[in-house]
Amino acid sequence: MSDFLMPTYARQPIAFIKGEGPWLIDEAGKRYLDAISGIAVCGLGHAHTAISKAVCEQADTLIHTSNLYRVEIQEKLARRLCQLAGMDAAFFANSGAEANETAIKLARLYGHKRGVAEPEILVMEHSFHGRTLATLSATGNRKVQAGFEPLVRGFVRAPFGDLEAARRIASERPNMVAILVEPIQGEGGVKTPPSGYLAGLRSLCDELGWLLMVDEVQTGMGRAGRWFAHQLEGIRPDVMTLAKALGNGVPIGACLARGPAAGVFSPGNHGSTFGGNPLACRAALAVIETIEANGLVERAAALGQHMLEEFTHLLSDLPGVIDVRGTGLLLGIELDRPCGPLVDRAREQGLLINVTAQNVVRLLPPLILDDSQAHFLVEMVSELIKDFLQDNQES
Ligand SMILES: *Cc1c(COP(=O)(O)O)cnc(C)c1O
């Protein structure tokens, strides 16, 4: 471990020197099937030629000019994203937390413009929105917040998936102006709300004039088998945030807005030096083109469904397995006990997986996975879980 890095991460003792599609290769030349995709970032896998070509070309032409000037490629990306999402305007940032900061600032300004001096935002238990002060305050996980008090005020929490609770809180909070919610909670344990939940929140926001803001940082860009996971519910939010897979590894975040929300900011209200620079926008445009040209949104839906069926068949009757769930290529297997050590066991066998919320195996494979790689992944993960449950019998 490096003496010169702040110890903010509990890193696994391995480094990769090269990537190839869904594979990562370590210093010894050993290959690993990557079922995390850099935490839902490399949806097109590693070293995708369309992306590397676009990034190289752009680096050779123009990397950065700042937002003091028009950036044509940023305008182009904004138009493409708005078309895909049915939104009206975009702001570009460099990460998910920054995209959510933008949404939070937008909601507060929206509130102030409506005469609410201390606007509040409804957020959910077990949510994850980032590590900046405002986004960790919005996050529903004490571990993320502990030690960083005083938290940013103005967030009110409700249980995720509970529409009645949201309605009850709504009736008690006259200063509420917006809801910030993940369509599917990723870090929180791959949790899908009951069907009708987002549509119910949409109605609530319509009734009260609140903004419905969806955090699609993890679920967006095809991962959930739609361009954006909220589209599964047939609704449109007022604000949507994106990051992770948007640049396939080139840092870029976005906050999109529609209707009145799209006109809240004026010059001087918000900004970012790097946000939406030509390099990042070129990468994101190449990502969108590649997803489209290869039908990868539909592919994620079909392959995810198939893998979910295979996992259900292999695991759901096993004692110790509580639930097998997922949407598109965001898959979770919940066990009845903490299963962190599975990550090391899998890696030793050449497979990269993740465990979140302590007892949920989370899989975020790239959208370019082929059938045999998917099958191999399901078989390996299932065997690992079976062995792990055998070796770790509950006493
Ligand atoms: C990862 C994530 C974030 C934070 O994104 P960063 O780029 O790490 O700041 C925010 N919201 C959700 C839902 C995420 O999964």
Side-chain angles (χ1 to χ4, degrees), residues 39-41 94-100 127-132 135 139 181-187 215-219 241-244 252-253 362:
I39 321 182
V41 168
N94 312 289
S95 67
E98 278 183 62
N100 286 331
S127 61
F128 184 78
H129 298 296
R131 301 286 196 156
T132 61
T135 58
T139 289
V181 63
E182 294 154 273
I184 301 163
Q185 289 188 336
E187 303 300 309
D215 178 345
E216 294 257 15
V217 169
Q218 185 156 159
T219 51
T241 56
L242 294 174
K244 291 203 166 94
I252 179 168
R362 177 176 53 164

Side-chain angles (χ1 to χ4, degrees), residues 66-79:
S66 91
N67 291 302
L68 292 170
Y69 313 105
R70 280 187 57 196
V71 181
E72 246 175 64
I73 196 159
Q74 186 185 116
E75 294 170 12
K76 195 170 163 196
L77 176 61
R79 173 198 291 270

